[in-house]
Amino acid sequence: MYPFPVFLFLTILCLLGSTADAIGVNWGTMSSHPLPPPKVVELLKSNEVSKVKLFDADPLVLQALSGSNIVVTLGIPNSMLKTLNSSRKAAESWAHDNVTRYFSHGGAGVRIERSKGNERYVAVGDEPFLQSYGDQFHPFVIGAAMNIQAALTKANLAGEVKVVVPCSFDTFVSESGRPSKGHFRTDLNKTMIELLTFLSKHHSPFFVTISPFISFQQNKNISLDFSLFKENARHHNDSHRTYKNSFDLSYDTLVSALSKIGFPEIDIVVARIGWPTDGAANATSSIAETFIKGLIDHLHSKTGTPLRPRNPPIETFIFSLLDEDHRSITSGNFERHWGVFTFDGQAKYHFNFGQGTKNLVNAQFVEYLAPKWCVVNNNKDLSNASASALEACSTSDCTALSPGGSCSNISWPGNISYAFNSYYQQNDQRADSCDFGGLGLITTVDPSVDTCRFFVELQTSHSTSVHEAYIFLRIIFLLACLFSCLLGFTW
């Protein structure tokens, strides 16, 4: 195993290439039973994915990526922003542990190819301006970014590594729905001017989420065909400009917002874009396939948008690689189903990442728990079964039962069985996790029905998720920062 500081930096962040159709993928680790990182890396390589955006610096993930030649965008989680904002020493510690040591000593099995035009990025925060967060992270973003930049400068790495801040889809709006009227949220206007000034000074792009699915959900004037790049979709007109799809409409709304505060030419990276496949109406694999294919064709055409003709985003990262059953569902149950692949690395639909004509390749030699399921015992009094199912769903993933979801049409007590099985699998098929007061029954007969999959969980070598393991290491980092500050220690 490589030393933590070595593989923590690995290949930092995105290659800012000259090709307009550079396509990567987001890899999140909010899963109770994650597919082992080495298998995920093999999945990426099998599908010729050359760029990956991470949301943190998970050591297990970075170790697996070591030597893979996959270019990585490394993120700093929102939970670290307050510390990095308030302490220059904490920022220097982060830079030292994750950047300086790597550049000073190299890394076992890790190489970063430096060629002209290749730049690397640290993404400070994960959509910290999301409106639902309120002021939870907002006040700390700019200070954290500036402290990380200062730390890189002190380490003589400012020319090698750039700092960016991923912004959510709701940072910019247009009340009329017309791109020309686009502007940043009023509560963010001052912050955005500070951020854009910072990014421009350091020649960094603007990272942003574009979400046609959520736009379609929230705006009755946007049709499904318009969201899916369909040729027969009703066009939207804005003065003399014609918009044929939702992506261009959102993108130019952002361009207008940037122009209004004095940054009309800044480069844009679409840091997150996708279409979910479950947990809501119109969140299906077939619709997601249509969207992704339409998006990739549009990017490959290099036509750009009406406000930026022949100037599409410099990079685009599809969201997401795998489903994640521990993602927050505050925005909707679909949040756990953005994956191009299921949680176990099986392709949900057909397309490719623009590397030829072949379809997606599944993860190989995946290890599962035993082929057993937990279902409701129909020979018992089921009058209280619904209460037991609700309790099971409070800690496990039952989002497929949502209206419009893949399991929304199974009748009672099939939905009870689904809830029981979700809890049973999350708890590693422990016999007591299929008790439910005597209402549960373990079976070796697959109860899946039509599109409703009763899953069997992955076999993992430990019960702690990758995300939880990283939280532990982050606590160690924060404690180290605290002691450094108390002792007046500098690197």
Side-chain angles (χ1 to χ4, degrees):
M1 181 175 289
Y2 302 127
F4 176 75
V6 170
F7 57 71
L8 185 59
F9 182 57
L10 226 248
T11 316
I12 290 188
L13 299 176
C14 335
L15 175 65
L16 183 59
S18 60
T19 57
D21 58 345
I23 296 172
V25 65
N26 287 270
W27 174 5
T29 56
M30 299 290 288
S31 301
S32 61
H33 292 67
L35 193 64
K39 287 197 180 296
V40 179
V41 172
E42 286 303 315
L43 182 68
L44 293 168
K45 291 165 68 176
S46 296
N47 288 283
E48 300 182 43
V49 178
S50 60
K51 304 172 190 296
V52 167
K53 177 173 165 285
L54 305 177
F55 298 101
D56 51 34
D58 190 293
L60 300 178
V61 170
L62 293 175
Q63 182 183 19
L65 283 164
S66 175
S68 67
N69 293 321
I70 295 173
V71 182
V72 181
T73 295
L74 187 63
I76 296 177
N78 291 332
S79 57
M80 294 180 66
L81 296 179
K82 186 174 183 180
T83 299
L84 294 173
N85 168 73
S86 62
S87 172
R88 179 72 65 88
K89 288 185 179 297
E92 290 174 2
S93 294
W94 186 93
H96 176 271
D97 291 344
N98 304 314
V99 183
T100 306
R101 289 185 184 179
Y102 174 81
F103 276 95
S104 297
H105 307 295
V110 180
R111 291 186 62 194
I112 293 180
E113 297 296 336
R114 303 179 195 169
S115 60
K116 187 176 181 180
N118 290 359
E119 294 179 290
R120 310 174 192 96
Y121 297 91
V122 172
V124 178
D126 176 23
E127 301 191 337
F129 302 125
L130 196 65
Q131 195 163 20
S132 61
Y133 289 153
D135 287 336
Q136 187 176 357
F137 308 114
H138 180 179
F140 314 118
V141 177
I142 304 300
M146 293 177 69
N147 280 344
I148 290 293
Q149 183 67 54
L152 294 173
T153 299
K154 184 175 181 180
N156 295 317
L157 292 171
E160 304 265 7
V161 183
K162 306 295 184 183
V163 176
V164 297
V165 176
C167 294
S168 53
F169 69 93
D170 63 0
T171 55
F172 57 97
V173 294
S174 173
E175 288 80 5
S176 66
R178 298 167 60 188
S180 61
K181 301 299 181 181
H183 61 89
F184 287 107
R185 287 196 336 247
T186 304
D187 61 303
L188 289 179
N189 220 47
K190 180 180 177 182
T191 301
M192 283 297 154
I193 291 174
E194 292 177 353
L195 174 60
L196 270 299
T197 300
F198 169 81
L199 295 176
S200 295
K201 178 181 178 181
H202 298 287
H203 308 288
S204 298
F206 187 81
F207 271 45
V208 69
T209 291
I210 302 289
S211 188
F213 176 77
I214 294 178
S215 296
F216 166 67
Q217 278 200 319
Q218 296 179 347
N219 191 335
K220 63 181 180 180
N221 293 320
I222 293 180
S223 68
L224 183 60
D225 285 349
F226 188 70
S227 303
L228 300 180
F229 300 91
K230 292 289 187 70
E231 292 291 337
N232 61 348
R234 181 180 64 85
H235 296 172
H236 289 230
N237 295 315
D238 184 4
S239 299
H240 61 282
R241 300 184 184 92
T242 299
Y243 289 89
K244 300 180 180 180
N245 60 75
S246 181
F247 175 83
D248 287 356
L249 193 78
S250 295
Y251 194 86
D252 274 4
T253 302
L254 170 63
V255 172
S256 292
L258 291 167
S259 298
K260 282 184 173 63
I261 59 173
F263 300 90
E265 303 296 332
I266 191 165
D267 286 331
I268 296 173
V269 169
V270 177
R272 190 186 302 196
I273 185 169
W275 196 279
T277 59
D278 210 338
N282 296 299
T284 67
S285 294
S286 61
I287 294 177
E289 177 177 349
T290 301
F291 171 79
I292 293 293
K293 285 181 175 178
L295 172 66
I296 290 178
D297 287 346
H298 184 54
L299 294 173
H300 282 176
S301 73
K302 303 181 184 179
T303 55
T305 64
L307 286 181
R308 287 196 174 183
R310 296 173 299 283
N311 186 20
I314 59 175
E315 287 188 297
T316 300
F317 290 88
I318 293 173
F319 185 69
S320 181
L321 182 65
L322 301 161
D323 284 348
E324 302 168 72
D325 65 351
H326 273 189
R327 280 190 62 81
S328 169
I329 54 175
T330 301
S331 301
N333 289 334
F334 56 84
E335 289 287 357
R336 294 178 176 172
H337 302 278
W338 290 101
V340 172
F341 294 89
T342 55
F343 72 97
D344 51 351
Q346 307 306 298
K348 297 180 184 178
Y349 44 85
H350 302 294
F351 90 104
N352 65 79
F353 283 93
Q355 306 292 334
T357 58
K358 69 179 183 180
N359 287 322
L360 296 176
V361 178
N362 293 333
Q364 302 297 309
F365 308 110
V366 178
E367 297 181 8
Y368 297 89
L369 297 175
K372 297 188 297 184
W373 298 263
C374 178
V375 296
V376 70
N377 188 340
N378 290 309
N379 294 321
K380 299 289 185 177
D381 177 7
L382 302 181
S383 57
N384 291 321
S386 294
S388 296
L390 286 173
E391 184 178 354
C393 290
S394 68
T395 56
S396 60
D397 181 29
C398 297
T399 52
L401 293 171
S402 308
S406 61
C407 296
S408 60
N409 292 326
I410 61 173
S411 58
W412 189 92
N415 53 353
I416 306 298
S417 290
Y418 186 90
F420 283 7
N421 186 64
S422 294
Y423 184 84
Y424 175 65
Q425 300 296 339
Q426 180 166 291
N427 286 278
D428 299 310
Q429 297 186 351
R430 290 199 326 264
D432 62 345
S433 66
C434 187
D435 185 24
F436 299 106
L439 299 180
L441 176 70
I442 297 174
T443 179
T444 57
V445 179
D446 188 349
S448 299
V449 180
D450 297 327
T451 61
C452 182
R453 176 190 179 191
F454 280 60
F455 63 92
V456 173
E457 195 53 90
L458 296 176
Q459 176 71 56
T460 57
S461 58
H462 50 81
S463 59
T464 303
S465 73
V466 170
H467 177 68
E468 290 166 337
Y470 178 67
I471 289 176
F472 172 76
L473 289 169
R474 194 183 319 160
I475 291 172
I476 299 299
F477 161 78
L478 293 174
L479 288 173
C481 292
L482 175 62
F483 283 117
S484 294
C485 294
L486 290 174
L487 297 174
F489 180 75
T490 58
W491 296 107

